[in-house]
Amino acid sequence: MSRENTFVIVGGGLAAAKTAEELREAGHDGSVVLVGDEAERPYLRPPLSKGYLLGKEERESIHVHPETWYRDHGVDLLLGTRVTSVDPHAKEVALDDGQRLPYAKLLLATGSSPRRLTVPGADFDNVLYLRRVGDSDRLKAAFTQGARIVIVGGGWIGLETAAAARTAGADVTVLEHSELPLLKVLGREAAAVFAALHRGHGVELRPRSVIQRITGSGSRADGVLLADGSHLPADTVVVGVGITPNVGLAQEAGLEVDNGIVTDRHLRTSAADVFAAGDVANAYHPRLCRHLRVEHWANALHQPRTAALGMLGKDAVYDRLPYFYTDQYDLGMEYTGYAEPGRYDRVVFRGAPGKQRFLAFWMSGNRILAGMSVNIWDTIDHIRALIEAEVVADDRALAHPDVPLEGLLR
């Protein structure tokens, strides 16, 4: 394979597959090679803790493209193949089978890996994590009527898996290091909504929990021992304590790495002709005037357009506001913007949080930094527009149900 006009994409998730799609959409007629270390063709991660885990979505539905799409669009898939090194000077990547792929442009969409527990007993077979489709299959098999499930971590993955387990009829306990789940992400007022939601569905929340060890015998865990001396029986322990960006290839290649692969606003890394997108990219965000690494689906969906255009030598900037969503029981939520802990003054609510149908706005002075809609649909685009326009917002207008959000833009 010649280097000329060959674009190589490293990664097997949404960002990788969408970059291949965007390259073809933008007119690239050279070779596109996508290298993924899983045997599965590129698929979406959100269903693994949502619809697929709940049994509402079939396996085929989680894939980014049908199998025939790659052949029809001339995209070479190298699946079950690991990239062992990147040489930005020679402009080639080495594969675990000894092959070397030359490239004209390279995209690193290497994603992230779950953080591992380091307490004694963390290596028992039934201590599970969620990142890949096989992980979701194992959780689905474990979530049965009456099963005792202990979940370590009260973040999005922890709460979504808790909801799936309770829906399946399991007995669920969530261990959270802080006072409330999602406290650091959402602040006290909104975090309390999710705590109440799970308690209302029979989940036991254990705040300020410190794990001493996971107990068990042979290869299987049978419980979790906490530092306060309490022991929680468990048939399965699920760990969701965050993720770590997969920066090994970039770091060994000499690229700038700092909480991810550092890129500019065009998603260009510190090495010529090398780009990064998705979970692994710590990209400069021109609207927020800072580098930001976002671990959510929307970045993996939208960043590839910017990366593909940049790879083709066109001027494109990624400035879309962060966005994420969750579905838990009968609660659906969307969030957009960026409200860093300690950088906002207050949260303004429209509606009653206790009734789990409301809007929330994170404010700094008279500016909206971020907004969230809970069980109220077709509002998130208006919230995004208010943030992007830097509208001077009045708390009373934001809180009043009869004041249309779109009217505040005038």
Side-chain angles (χ1 to χ4, degrees):
M1 181 179 294
S2 68
R3 173 176 295 105
E4 186 179 356
N5 224 21
T6 295
F7 288 8
V8 174
I9 300 167
V10 180
L14 176 61
K18 288 296 290 186
T19 301
E21 178 184 323
E22 295 289 358
L23 284 170
R24 291 304 188 213
E25 288 285 329
H28 177 61
D29 58 3
S31 297
V32 176
V33 183
L34 189 154
V35 187
D37 62 1
E38 293 185 66
E40 197 96 18
R41 72 181 186 276
Y43 59 88
L44 302 164
R45 308 287 173 179
L48 304 187
S49 62
K50 298 181 177 72
Y52 183 74
L53 181 57
L54 288 163
K56 295 179 179 179
E57 297 180 34
E58 297 298 324
R59 191 183 187 96
E60 185 61 28
S61 72
I62 71 173
H63 293 100
V64 182
H65 299 115
E67 192 169 3
T68 56
W69 183 91
Y70 298 93
R71 182 177 64 251
D72 293 345
H73 290 82
V75 175
D76 296 322
L77 286 181
L78 297 183
L79 302 180
T81 303
R82 188 170 60 87
V83 174
T84 57
S85 66
V86 173
D87 186 338
H89 303 292
K91 297 183 72 171
E92 62 183 17
V93 301
L95 308 182
D96 57 2
D97 63 2
Q99 196 180 167
R100 301 186 79 84
L101 291 181
Y103 65 82
K105 307 286 183 181
L106 173 68
L107 177 85
L108 297 176
T110 47
S112 54
S113 298
R115 292 196 189 112
R116 300 277 159 170
L117 278 186
T118 57
V119 300
D123 56 352
F124 282 121
D125 289 348
N126 54 335
V127 176
L128 305 182
Y129 296 79
L130 178 58
R131 186 60 184 169
R132 299 189 170 194
V133 65
D135 301 329
S136 190
D137 289 335
R138 292 188 70 189
L139 291 178
K140 194 185 303 186
F143 292 170
T144 59
Q145 183 72 37
R148 299 168 301 178
I149 309 296
V150 174
I151 297 174
V152 182
W156 296 116
I157 291 295
L159 294 187
E160 288 178 358
T161 54
R166 278 301 294 146
T167 300
D171 297 325
V172 179
T173 301
V174 174
L175 306 180
E176 168 56 38
H177 186 68
S178 63
E179 181 184 348
L180 289 168
L182 302 173
L183 181 61
K184 185 177 179 181
V185 178
L186 298 179
R188 181 173 304 278
E189 301 94 330
V193 172
F194 286 88
L197 172 71
H198 281 269
R199 289 193 179 107
H201 282 83
V203 174
E204 181 184 0
L205 298 180
R206 298 287 294 261
R208 300 189 181 91
S209 294
V210 178
I211 298 175
Q212 185 170 321
R213 63 187 174 93
I214 297 175
T215 62
S217 59
S219 63
R220 293 189 63 80
D222 62 18
V224 179
L225 179 66
L226 301 182
D228 64 7
S230 58
H231 182 262
L232 306 174
D235 299 304
T236 300
V237 178
V238 182
V239 181
V241 291
I243 60 177
T244 301
N246 296 328
V247 298
L249 284 174
Q251 200 160 31
E252 291 167 11
L255 276 63
E256 183 181 358
V257 168
D258 180 12
N259 182 32
I261 302 173
V262 177
T263 79
D264 63 12
R265 60 183 182 168
H266 309 284
L267 303 181
R268 297 179 301 210
T269 72
S270 59
D273 300 319
V274 181
F275 295 73
D279 284 6
V280 77
N282 187 8
Y284 184 78
H285 198 291
R287 287 188 184 275
L288 302 174
C289 300
R290 56 161 294 161
H291 277 84
L292 194 65
R293 188 175 66 83
V294 179
E295 300 171 352
H296 295 288
W297 158 88
N299 257 34
L301 178 68
H302 296 294
Q303 280 188 342
R305 178 67 177 168
T306 299
L309 291 174
M311 293 168 80
L312 292 169
K314 300 176 183 179
D315 186 26
V317 171
Y318 189 76
D319 61 357
R320 190 178 181 89
L321 289 173
Y323 166 91
F324 60 88
Y325 74 99
T326 190
D327 296 309
Q328 298 173 33
Y329 311 109
D330 53 356
L331 182 148
M333 182 275 278
E334 294 181 280
Y335 176 106
T336 190
Y338 182 68
E340 191 175 8
R343 296 292 182 90
Y344 60 89
D345 306 329
R346 64 201 182 281
V347 181
V348 176
F349 288 92
R350 175 180 292 202
K355 295 182 179 179
Q356 296 171 7
R357 181 179 168 80
F358 63 92
L359 303 180
F361 304 91
W362 281 257
M363 307 294 296
S364 177
N366 55 14
R367 303 288 186 186
I368 305 169
L369 301 180
M372 181 172 76
S373 63
V374 173
N375 286 339
I376 297 176
W377 306 111
D378 302 321
T379 57
I380 205 69
D381 288 341
H382 297 313
I383 293 172
R384 181 184 295 111
L386 290 172
I387 299 169
E388 290 178 343
E390 298 184 349
V391 166
V392 175
D394 178 84
D395 285 13
R396 289 173 297 178
L398 288 174
H400 202 295
D402 295 331
V403 177
L405 294 181
E406 57 269 33
L408 300 177
L409 287 164
R410 296 170 189 155

mmCIF file of all heavy atoms in Angstrom, residues 12 77 107 148 185 198 230 249 313-314 344 363 367:
data_model
loop_
_atom_site.group_PDB
_atom_site.id
_atom_site.type_symbol
_atom_site.label_atom_id
_atom_site.label_comp_id
_atom_site.label_asym_id
_atom_site.label_seq_id
_atom_site.Cartn_x
_atom_site.Cartn_y
_atom_site.Cartn_z
ATOM 1 N N GLY A 12 -12.041 1.678 16.920
ATOM 2 C CA GLY A 12 -13.158 0.865 16.468
ATOM 3 C C GLY A 12 -14.512 1.334 16.954
ATOM 4 O O GLY A 12 -15.459 0.539 16.997
ATOM 5 N N LEU A 77 -11.479 -2.519 6.444
ATOM 6 C CA LEU A 77 -11.556 -2.790 7.878
ATOM 7 C C LEU A 77 -10.495 -3.813 8.256
ATOM 8 O O LEU A 77 -10.464 -4.922 7.710
ATOM 9 C CB LEU A 77 -12.934 -3.347 8.252
ATOM 10 C CG LEU A 77 -14.124 -2.391 8.291
ATOM 11 C CD1 LEU A 77 -15.379 -3.141 8.715
ATOM 12 C CD2 LEU A 77 -13.866 -1.219 9.226
ATOM 13 N N LEU A 107 -5.673 9.480 11.828
ATOM 14 C CA LEU A 107 -6.588 9.879 12.903
ATOM 15 C C LEU A 107 -6.474 8.879 14.038
ATOM 16 O O LEU A 107 -6.591 7.669 13.832
ATOM 17 C CB LEU A 107 -8.040 9.910 12.431
ATOM 18 C CG LEU A 107 -9.005 10.246 13.584
ATOM 19 C CD1 LEU A 107 -9.121 11.740 13.777
ATOM 20 C CD2 LEU A 107 -10.362 9.621 13.393
ATOM 21 N N ARG A 148 -28.159 -10.247 43.633
ATOM 22 C CA ARG A 148 -27.635 -9.173 44.497
ATOM 23 C C ARG A 148 -26.492 -8.477 43.753
ATOM 24 O O ARG A 148 -25.441 -9.079 43.531
ATOM 25 C CB ARG A 148 -27.160 -9.757 45.824
ATOM 26 C CG ARG A 148 -28.278 -10.433 46.618
ATOM 27 C CD ARG A 148 -27.736 -11.257 47.767
ATOM 28 N NE ARG A 148 -26.812 -12.301 47.276
ATOM 29 C CZ ARG A 148 -26.159 -13.150 48.075
ATOM 30 N NH1 ARG A 148 -26.304 -13.057 49.390
ATOM 31 N NH2 ARG A 148 -25.356 -14.059 47.560
ATOM 32 N N VAL A 185 -20.682 16.492 39.069
ATOM 33 C CA VAL A 185 -21.078 16.797 37.693
ATOM 34 C C VAL A 185 -22.209 17.807 37.641
ATOM 35 O O VAL A 185 -22.190 18.752 36.845
ATOM 36 C CB VAL A 185 -21.504 15.498 36.969
ATOM 37 C CG1 VAL A 185 -21.965 15.801 35.552
ATOM 38 C CG2 VAL A 185 -20.364 14.497 36.965
ATOM 39 N N HIS A 198 -33.539 6.996 42.118
ATOM 40 C CA HIS A 198 -33.103 5.624 42.364
ATOM 41 C C HIS A 198 -33.648 5.079 43.682
ATOM 42 O O HIS A 198 -34.042 3.903 43.745
ATOM 43 C CB HIS A 198 -31.576 5.548 42.299
ATOM 44 C CG HIS A 198 -31.067 5.524 40.898
ATOM 45 N ND1 HIS A 198 -30.860 4.358 40.200
ATOM 46 C CD2 HIS A 198 -30.773 6.537 40.038
ATOM 47 C CE1 HIS A 198 -30.443 4.642 38.981
ATOM 48 N NE2 HIS A 198 -30.377 5.956 38.859
ATOM 49 N N SER A 230 -19.143 -2.795 57.567
ATOM 50 C CA SER A 230 -20.324 -3.443 57.005
ATOM 51 C C SER A 230 -19.939 -4.295 55.798
ATOM 52 O O SER A 230 -19.012 -3.960 55.058
ATOM 53 C CB SER A 230 -21.375 -2.410 56.622
ATOM 54 O OG SER A 230 -20.865 -1.489 55.688
ATOM 55 N N LEU A 249 -0.304 4.992 22.606
ATOM 56 C CA LEU A 249 0.300 5.120 21.279
ATOM 57 C C LEU A 249 0.817 6.530 21.041
ATOM 58 O O LEU A 249 1.924 6.732 20.526
ATOM 59 C CB LEU A 249 -0.720 4.768 20.196
ATOM 60 C CG LEU A 249 -1.044 3.303 19.964
ATOM 61 C CD1 LEU A 249 -2.184 3.182 18.956
ATOM 62 C CD2 LEU A 249 0.187 2.548 19.486
ATOM 63 N N GLY A 313 -7.245 19.056 4.330
ATOM 64 C CA GLY A 313 -6.626 20.356 4.130
ATOM 65 C C GLY A 313 -7.584 21.519 4.133
ATOM 66 O O GLY A 313 -7.221 22.628 3.715
ATOM 67 N N LYS A 314 -8.795 21.299 4.603
ATOM 68 C CA LYS A 314 -9.789 22.372 4.649
ATOM 69 C C LYS A 314 -9.858 22.963 6.048
ATOM 70 O O LYS A 314 -9.558 22.293 7.036
ATOM 71 C CB LYS A 314 -11.156 21.829 4.222
ATOM 72 C CG LYS A 314 -11.145 21.262 2.797
ATOM 73 C CD LYS A 314 -12.474 20.638 2.411
ATOM 74 C CE LYS A 314 -12.399 20.031 1.011
ATOM 75 N NZ LYS A 314 -13.669 19.379 0.605
ATOM 76 N N TYR A 344 -19.901 28.348 38.687
ATOM 77 C CA TYR A 344 -21.241 28.913 38.492
ATOM 78 C C TYR A 344 -21.782 29.392 39.833
ATOM 79 O O TYR A 344 -21.371 28.935 40.897
ATOM 80 C CB TYR A 344 -22.185 27.897 37.842
ATOM 81 C CG TYR A 344 -22.412 26.619 38.615
ATOM 82 C CD1 TYR A 344 -23.444 26.527 39.556
ATOM 83 C CD2 TYR A 344 -21.617 25.504 38.407
ATOM 84 C CE1 TYR A 344 -23.654 25.360 40.272
ATOM 85 C CE2 TYR A 344 -21.825 24.332 39.107
ATOM 86 C CZ TYR A 344 -22.849 24.261 40.039
ATOM 87 O OH TYR A 344 -23.060 23.107 40.746
ATOM 88 N N MET A 363 -25.940 29.120 36.072
ATOM 89 C CA MET A 363 -25.736 30.538 35.794
ATOM 90 C C MET A 363 -24.418 31.061 36.375
ATOM 91 O O MET A 363 -23.990 30.650 37.460
ATOM 92 C CB MET A 363 -26.878 31.354 36.403
ATOM 93 C CG MET A 363 -28.273 30.904 36.016
ATOM 94 S SD MET A 363 -28.627 31.145 34.268
ATOM 95 C CE MET A 363 -28.544 32.949 34.158
ATOM 96 N N ARG A 367 -25.374 35.166 32.763
ATOM 97 C CA ARG A 367 -25.117 34.321 31.606
ATOM 98 C C ARG A 367 -25.431 32.861 31.939
ATOM 99 O O ARG A 367 -25.166 32.387 33.040
ATOM 100 C CB ARG A 367 -23.657 34.412 31.160
ATOM 101 C CG ARG A 367 -23.196 35.823 30.823
ATOM 102 C CD ARG A 367 -23.794 36.313 29.519
ATOM 103 N NE ARG A 367 -23.242 37.608 29.131
ATOM 104 C CZ ARG A 367 -23.661 38.319 28.107
ATOM 105 N NH1 ARG A 367 -24.642 37.864 27.351
ATOM 106 N NH2 ARG A 367 -23.121 39.479 27.824
#
